[in-house]
Amino acid sequence: MNIRISATDLVRNLGDVLGRIRYRGDTFLVERNGDPVARVVPVVDRPTATVAEVLAAWTAEGVADPAFARDLEEVGAADEPAADPWDS
């Protein structure tokens, strides 16, 4: 996704912008006074995998561990929101 951003907004939100570039692959066009001055893009040499490659690796691992599924169920059941979110 190509997003226009002012230099001021880039400075104020640098952490968020870098996260969006790294994890979502967003591209930012940086403008100063409405004029484009730079483009911030993801690094192209990062390793990537297709969905088919990920699925093949996942299925190649063999049989799922039923104990792990039970552990996940227990963690999910124990993760209850507080009755009063303001009570610490």
Side-chain angles (χ1 to χ4, degrees):
M1 175 182 268
N2 197 6
I3 302 159
R4 300 173 84 93
I5 188 170
S6 70
T8 302
D9 286 340
L10 175 62
V11 169
R12 289 181 181 159
N13 303 298
L14 183 60
D16 179 54
V17 169
L18 291 177
R20 289 175 64 178
I21 292 168
R22 181 177 186 182
Y23 297 111
R24 293 176 36 180
D26 290 349
T27 298
F28 287 83
L29 178 64
V30 183
E31 298 176 336
R32 179 167 273 168
N33 298 322
D35 296 325
V37 294
R39 185 176 309 274
V40 185
V41 299
V43 176
V44 294
D45 62 349
R46 290 182 56 201
T48 58
T50 66
V51 173
E53 291 170 336
V54 171
L55 183 58
W58 184 31
T59 55
E61 288 300 313
V63 180
D65 181 7
F68 181 68
R70 283 192 302 274
D71 292 342
L72 288 178
E73 289 292 329
E74 289 178 20
V75 169
D79 189 22
E80 296 288 328
D84 181 2
W86 299 107
D87 186 27
S88 52

